[in-house]
Amino acid sequence: MQENLVLYNSLSRKKEKFTAINPPFVGMYVCGPTVYGDAHLGHARPAITFDLLFRYFQHIGYKVRYVRNITDVGHLENDEDHGEDKIGKKAKLEQVEPMEIVQFYSDRYHREMDKLNVLRPSIEPRASGHIIEQIELTQKILDAGYAYISNGSVYFDVEKYNEKYNYGKLSGRVLEDLYSNTRELDGQSEKRNSFDFALWKNASPEHIMRWPSPWGQGFPGWHAECSAMGHKYLGEKFDIHGGGMDLLFPHHECEIAQNTVAIGENSINYWIHNNMITINGQKMGKSLGNFITLEELFTGSNKVLEKAYSPMTIRFFILQAQYRSTLDFSNEALQAAEKGLIRLLKGVENLNNLKANKQNNFDAQKFRQDCYNAMNDDLNSPILISYLFDGLKTINSIVAGNENIDENNLNILKEVYDTFLFEILGLKLENENSGNNKILENVVNIVLNLRVKAKENKDWASSDFIRDELAKIGIIVKDKKDGFEWEIQ
Ligand code: ZN
């Protein structure tokens, strides 16, 4: 086991050596998506960042219980305590059950994450399945005297909390500034202060998703779910809580306040946050017209994109930046990443064909340790990738006969690429002519040749049937003078 992993802790604002509470077990909770729309670029970075950490922990010998929730209730439109529930609103618009929206977009989220080779978490709890736990959490906070009931809603009393504890210790915000920075908004009058947040909300008559509680019909506040589910599945004290930087305030700050009162002050050891993605230097947003879903990226169907980019190009591109740096998407940068990845994979092909010599002038053990050092330094994937590129020079030089490698060092070198490129960085080959794709191509050609025969026999029904059925599975057939052409849509 590598004992030298250092991670940046957002709470202490410094890099700290990672020590598990109960080795070899690691408990990791990551805030998952609110499922009311297609997965987009903004979902890819946290998913890949914590996938990298999940994979690395496992590689160095930990048994990880990775919990990533699905937010399916209580996330209101403006991320605060007013506005409509994001999922309820969509359900009303489409005249379906809210849980149909949740199922539909959860399935699509999984599909896109699978394409990005993001491993599924160990547990994926839904907020709507943990209402009882959220009511219990709210009751504990009420009992401790840090919440108040107002019109059937329960609010966390931030001012009172701040008298004893430090509200803002994660985000660095100071309550005095929050007084002056927050405007009084409509519907906030039932709160003592605008920065108080809802643990439980009274449901208005038109609100669809509602449950009975000691305070009447209502639904849990967004921040309550992660505290309740994290501690249910990982215990009162656990190792890691993560998410995107945008969740640091107020979401995670509020979680810390809830945990401190209901569970214990230091209930989570490491808070880890990935930085955000910009597009051509701008924040991504629906209103800015630069909002890109993952599906659009993979198919190229967005006017911002010059072409389609494969899932592995996106993954590689994201890993080329350290997770705490900002990352700017542009066609130019993606195309450079695409070329770089092809070069690396080609290098691995050359490596697998290499023959060992008797002589050796390459220290593969040092090379391997350099790669571990990069990962141990707060998951420095760009440095790791730069080492893997450096290794290509050695491989090419051995191929050209300018350097030598013996069997032992060659085996280590192969293991390094296997381990770091595929197992830890989670990249994989996407060669279109590989295995299954070749079989698919042959099968489609057989079917289409049958269609040519049907047409020769004037069996138009069979001919149309084949064309229409293929279209249903996304294979579009174009008739040509002397045969056919087809493509996968
Ligand atoms: Zn959360």
Side-chain angles (χ1 to χ4, degrees), residues 29-32 69 71 222-223 225-227 241-242 247 251-252 255:
Y29 188 96
V30 174
C31 292
N69 67 299
T71 297
W222 174 37
H223 312 308
E225 68 173 278
C226 292
S227 285
H241 192 317
L247 297 178
H251 188 52
H252 290 163
E255 269 192 60

Side-chain angles (χ1 to χ4, degrees), residues 34 36 74-84 86 191 197-198 222-223 246-247 249-251 254 283:
T34 304
Y36 69 106
H75 196 170
L76 305 186
E77 265 179 311
N78 62 358
D79 292 355
E80 288 179 39
D81 290 335
H82 54 284
E84 273 188 87
K86 289 181 179 184
K191 294 199 230 177
F197 57 91
W222 174 37
H223 312 308
D246 53 334
L247 297 178
F249 187 89
H251 188 52
C254 296
K283 211 180 149 197

Side-chain angles (χ1 to χ4, degrees), residues 106-144:
S106 299
D107 289 348
R108 287 169 76 88
Y109 176 79
H110 287 140
R111 188 189 66 192
E112 304 302 6
M113 291 305 129
D114 287 348
K115 284 185 197 160
L116 288 169
N117 209 18
V118 167
L119 301 174
R120 301 260 177 122
S122 332
I123 305 176
E124 200 169 38
R126 284 185 185 180
S128 66
H130 298 77
I131 302 295
I132 292 169
E133 288 82 354
Q134 293 172 81
I135 290 175
E136 277 171 8
L137 178 83
T138 303
Q139 190 62 57
K140 271 191 193 170
I141 296 170
L142 269 171
D143 293 346

Side-chain angles (χ1 to χ4, degrees), residues 37-41 112 284 286 290-299 301-302 305:
D38 273 336
H40 52 78
L41 212 40
E112 304 302 6
M284 184 174 74
K286 283 213 167 90
N290 63 356
F291 186 85
I292 311 176
T293 68
L294 290 173
E295 194 178 0
E296 287 166 350
L297 267 172
F298 302 156
T299 56
S301 58
N302 182 308
L305 303 168

